[in-house]
Amino acid sequence: MARTAAGRGSLMSSPEQPLRKKYWSSGNSLAAFWIPGMILVGIIALALLVITIPVLRNPEYLAGAASDPVVFQAFFVTFLAGFCAVGILAITGTPLAYALSRSDTPWKGVVETLVDIPLVLPHTVAGLMVYLLFMSRGLLGAPLGGIGLTFEDAFPGIVAAMVFVAIPYYVNAVREGFGRVPVQLENVARSLGASRARAFVTVTLPLTTRHIMYGALLAWGRAIGEFAAVIMIAYFPVVISTLIYYRFNTGGIAESQAIAFILILLCLVLFFVFRFLTRRAGVYDDRS
Amino acid sequence: MIAVEEISLTRGDFSFAGISLQVPESSYTVLMGPSGAGKTLLLESIGGFLPVTGGRILVAGRDVTMLPPEKRGIGFMYQDYSLFPHLTVEENIAYGLKMKGIASRERTSTVKTLLSSFSLHTLASRHTGSLSGGEKQRVALVRALATRPTALLLDEPFAALDPEARLSCMDEVKAIQKDHGLTILQVSHDRDEAYRLADQVVVMDNGRILQTGTPAAIFSHPVHPTVAAVAGFENILEGTSGSSEGGRTRLSIGTGTIIADRIVPAGDRILACIRSRDITLAGADIPLSEQVNRIDGQVISMVATDHGCQVRFVGPFPLLIDIPGDRASWEYRPGEQVVAWVAPKDVHLIRIPKNTGDGGNAL
């Protein structure tokens, strides 16, 4: 009792601040984690600043880039190819992710390793592979060329390179989502009369919405950023990273900075729009 | 009726071989056994979620062994109820009807009837995440019943409920089972559930069925050490039978002896099973009227229970002893010398066959 009273007394006589300070200094502080972590965050912030400040200081380059039809076309090609790549991944990668999450075949490890290969390869190697596969004399390029689908220096080539490098990002994210849907839910759905496919469509898929959208966003981000793999199969039509590199070499830093700035701005806007649109997706709780 | 005939299944490290089981028409069967016995796997293979590698499964006389789950007409309910979190209560209940192709209008009216007869109408448009355990259980049950299954498989349906909800849910399920003449196979860990619900109890362990019978028969006459543990015999002591006299047999257990009210051939390996509540404890200086089965020993520790306290006792062999509330005034102290006593009629014996390690025959 006496101790409590004394404690209360000291609390009242001194303001709250020293007590909080004491709390944080007594080993409860996260400073030891924040300080090294902030090095990384600082590098990102500085990187954004070295692009942004010169661009805002010389707005004529920004205006020039924004009104340049070549820049506009490169953005259009890049974003459209990115969406096409995500579409192809959604159609083929979603079933693959589901099969991987539910199967216990001994071959699963082999398939998983193959899916992860584009993640560990240097992008130039990925580019070489895509080129050899899809060039006009390539293993897939030749027969597809026969039905009028050309990849070399063509839009489909960009999409092919983007799909290739984005496979692991999409498949792994979606697969994790499927893994979180308890198989018991599917079992119950089936006991209630749903076939495996209907249980997938009516139960598993809606419960994986968030992971599918996240996987799509990751894959899209990876796809539109691809440079090495894309230029090896299709230097033209020019994608945005090719254009930035080209302008960096020919027109100088200021020109490439302006295009990069627009790209960053567009990506940020798209990310925010995406987050806003998906903030309620996959959340099923009356309490929140 | 559900008839499981000699089914085999392998799942990772676990396997059954040749399991047979019958759940009579319109009866309630409770499947019991220790954790890891294979109860859920057996239920899931009857439900069709796991492929069996041999044998047959018949539901109402129809061979469903090769049918997918959706064609078996068996309702299934898991311990966590597995309600669809993205659907409302109403949509959860309507799900099976929709999958069976029932027209929207008929579906709505069926669901409406079910909702009101199970007093769920106030929850109809709620998502399931915020329901209480009892409400979830009821929604899962109604969802399973909506498609009028031939049989119902329940995997520990009452385990996640608080004690009050448990009793009322059990009574409700039992009433529905009786009214609709449902055939139910339920997994349980709880003897009270078995007493309250079961017409038949089946005990399994390690992918084998050990004993089948009425709850009273199983719990008072286990034939296998695992069944004895499931039946709640806290003390299972291994020993050897000695001389018999006047319908009683003297058993050597540890360094002591116990007399049981049964005749056993001398020299057999036996397990003496004694419920902790059937043992009486007295201070060493208090005379007991009974002269047989007085066991001298020491109190090791005591813990409070619902009904009094439980004493850990060591004499010629260790014993767990329950002392009812009126005697549980903590009159014993750890280290105190005491006398334990058990009536010969309360010593249940299981004979261990000579050539196998774990099987047994009741005596």
Side-chain angles (χ1 to χ4, degrees):
Chain A
M1 219 31 215
R3 194 179 290 173
T4 318
R8 205 170 279 165
S10 71
L11 215 161
M12 279 164 80
S13 62
S14 61
E16 215 180 294
Q17 215 54 30
L19 207 67
R20 279 183 71 174
K21 220 178 216 170
K22 206 171 159 193
Y23 175 81
W24 288 118
S25 60
S26 61
N28 285 309
S29 167
L30 279 175
F33 298 89
W34 275 118
I35 291 165
M38 283 318 272
I39 295 173
L40 296 179
V41 179
I43 289 174
I44 297 174
L46 283 177
L48 285 171
L49 282 180
V50 294
I51 293 268
T52 312
I53 290 173
V55 169
L56 295 179
R57 211 177 266 165
N58 300 307
E60 67 274 13
Y61 282 105
L62 185 60
S67 57
D68 184 346
V70 177
V71 173
F72 178 81
Q73 202 198 343
F75 270 114
F76 181 73
V77 166
T78 310
F79 283 18
L80 186 65
F83 285 123
C84 290
V86 167
I88 290 168
L89 282 171
I91 294 165
T92 54
T94 311
L96 173 63
Y98 182 71
L100 282 174
S101 82
R102 289 292 185 261
S103 158
D104 48 7
T105 157
W107 292 100
K108 200 165 93 164
V110 178
V111 179
E112 282 171 339
T113 311
L114 286 174
V115 165
D116 280 341
I117 280 194
L119 206 61
V120 294
L121 287 182
H123 294 189
T124 40
V125 177
L128 200 59
M129 287 170 155
V130 171
Y131 178 69
L132 292 172
L133 211 50
F134 288 98
M135 65 181 185
S136 48
R137 287 172 294 118
L139 201 60
L140 295 176
L144 288 169
I147 58 164
L149 204 57
T150 340
F151 292 87
E152 266 181 79
D153 280 335
F155 185 76
I158 301 173
V159 177
M162 286 180 170
V163 168
F164 189 80
V165 296
I167 290 169
Y169 291 86
Y170 183 81
V171 172
N172 290 336
V174 176
R175 186 204 155 155
E176 180 173 336
F178 286 138
R180 281 169 185 243
V181 177
V183 76
Q184 284 88 337
L185 287 183
E186 292 171 12
N187 287 349
V188 166
R190 298 197 66 190
S191 78
L192 293 169
S195 63
R196 176 158 226 150
R198 272 194 101 184
F200 174 74
V201 172
T202 55
V203 174
T204 318
L205 209 51
L207 292 173
T208 320
T209 321
R210 260 197 120 70
H211 280 85
I212 290 178
M213 292 197 291
Y214 177 65
L217 184 69
L218 273 185
W220 185 79
R222 182 72 197 76
I224 63 154
E226 186 52 38
F227 172 52
V230 170
I231 55 161
M232 292 179 87
I233 180 102
Y235 195 93
F236 293 105
V238 172
V239 294
I240 206 68
S241 12
T242 312
L243 186 67
I244 291 172
Y245 187 70
Y246 173 77
R247 292 280 168 94
F248 176 75
N249 281 331
T250 57
I253 291 178
E255 264 189 46
S256 55
Q257 262 174 340
I259 305 172
F261 180 76
I262 299 173
L263 179 64
I264 292 168
L265 218 58
L266 280 176
C267 285
L268 280 179
V269 169
L270 272 166
F271 269 50
F272 279 118
V273 169
F274 181 87
R275 288 193 72 142
F276 179 76
L277 291 179
T278 60
R279 72 197 185 287
R280 300 285 305 160
V283 180
Y284 309 103
D285 195 336
D286 303 325
R287 288 167 294 191
S288 57
Chain B
M1 185 172 99
I2 304 172
V4 173
E5 297 176 355
E6 299 278 321
I7 62 164
S8 306
L9 170 133
T10 306
R11 183 88 178 156
D13 296 338
F14 190 88
S15 64
F16 325 134
I19 276 208
S20 294
L21 171 77
Q22 292 233 340
V23 183
E25 186 71 30
S26 304
S27 80
Y28 205 124
T29 293
V30 168
L31 181 61
M32 301 183 80
S35 301
K39 305 182 295 290
T40 299
L41 284 186
L42 178 58
L43 228 57
E44 289 189 323
S45 54
I46 297 172
F49 311 135
L50 301 173
V52 295
T53 51
R56 290 205 305 169
I57 299 167
L58 301 162
V59 177
R62 190 168 64 119
D63 188 343
V64 300
T65 322
M66 291 301 148
L67 293 181
E70 62 269 25
K71 300 243 166 77
R72 295 194 180 197
I74 302 176
F76 203 101
M77 199 165 123
Y78 281 103
Q79 179 178 350
D80 66 356
Y81 314 126
S82 294
L83 296 175
F84 304 131
H86 59 303
L87 302 180
T88 61
V89 167
E90 201 171 6
E91 290 164 340
N92 262 280
I93 294 168
Y95 185 89
L97 300 170
K98 198 172 172 182
M99 292 303 126
K100 295 235 148 104
I102 309 287
S104 160
R105 189 180 297 171
E106 193 187 334
R107 209 160 68 211
T108 315
S109 78
T110 310
V111 171
K112 214 170 194 175
T113 317
L114 283 169
L115 284 170
S116 58
S117 60
F118 285 87
S119 324
L120 288 168
H121 46 280
T122 53
L123 306 174
S125 56
R126 288 257 295 273
H127 274 102
T128 58
S130 56
L131 301 181
S132 74
E135 289 166 345
K136 282 183 184 170
Q137 206 256 9
R138 195 177 297 161
V139 174
L141 185 68
V142 176
R143 179 178 67 175
L145 292 173
T147 54
R148 300 185 171 278
T150 327
L152 211 51
L153 306 178
L154 312 175
D155 190 1
E156 297 202 47
F158 309 108
L161 297 176
D162 60 71
E164 258 174 66
R166 249 181 93 213
L167 287 184
S168 64
C169 284
M170 273 195 256
D171 290 345
E172 192 169 16
V173 170
K174 185 66 187 173
I176 294 165
Q177 187 257 333
K178 275 190 173 157
D179 291 351
H180 293 67
L182 272 170
T183 307
I184 295 183
L185 176 59
Q186 185 206 313
V187 168
S188 175
H189 269 118
D190 188 288
R191 284 190 298 282
D192 286 340
E193 277 180 33
Y195 276 122
R196 208 170 253 265
L197 299 167
D199 302 309
Q200 174 182 261
V201 172
V202 176
V203 183
M204 73 180 290
D205 190 20
N206 281 325
R208 288 194 308 143
I209 303 281
L210 302 176
Q211 195 174 351
T212 303
T214 62
I218 296 267
F219 298 145
S220 52
H221 296 289
V223 297
H224 187 280
T226 304
V227 184
V230 166
F233 287 91
E234 294 85 352
N235 300 292
I236 301 176
L237 308 161
E238 192 174 337
T240 317
S241 54
S243 58
S244 301
E245 193 185 323
R248 290 179 166 182
T249 304
R250 180 178 292 273
L251 314 161
S252 314
I253 293 167
T255 55
T257 56
I258 282 189
I259 289 169
D261 259 357
R262 289 173 185 72
I263 302 278
V264 193
D268 274 10
R269 277 177 68 216
I270 49 92
L271 292 172
C273 308
I274 310 167
R275 291 185 196 276
S276 56
R277 62 160 192 261
D278 290 335
I279 308 174
T280 311
L281 199 59
D285 52 347
I286 300 172
L288 289 163
S289 51
E290 281 283 345
Q291 287 311 302
V292 294
N293 285 350
R294 289 179 63 116
I295 307 154
D296 293 309
Q298 207 178 33
V299 172
I300 299 297
S301 64
M302 303 172 69
V303 286
T305 65
D306 254 4
H307 313 291
C309 78
Q310 190 169 60
V311 172
R312 200 169 278 283
F313 165 98
V314 168
F317 36 80
L319 288 173
L320 271 181
I321 303 168
D322 271 339
I323 305 175
D326 54 334
R327 295 278 319 272
S329 49
W330 299 87
E331 57 199 87
Y332 306 104
R333 293 278 168 273
E336 191 176 336
Q337 288 296 322
V338 286
V339 178
W341 174 74
V342 58
K345 69 174 175 54
D346 292 328
V347 181
H348 178 78
L349 299 185
I350 296 173
R351 205 156 113 204
I352 306 171
K354 289 212 165 69
N355 42 7
T356 65
D358 64 344
N361 298 307
L363 293 158

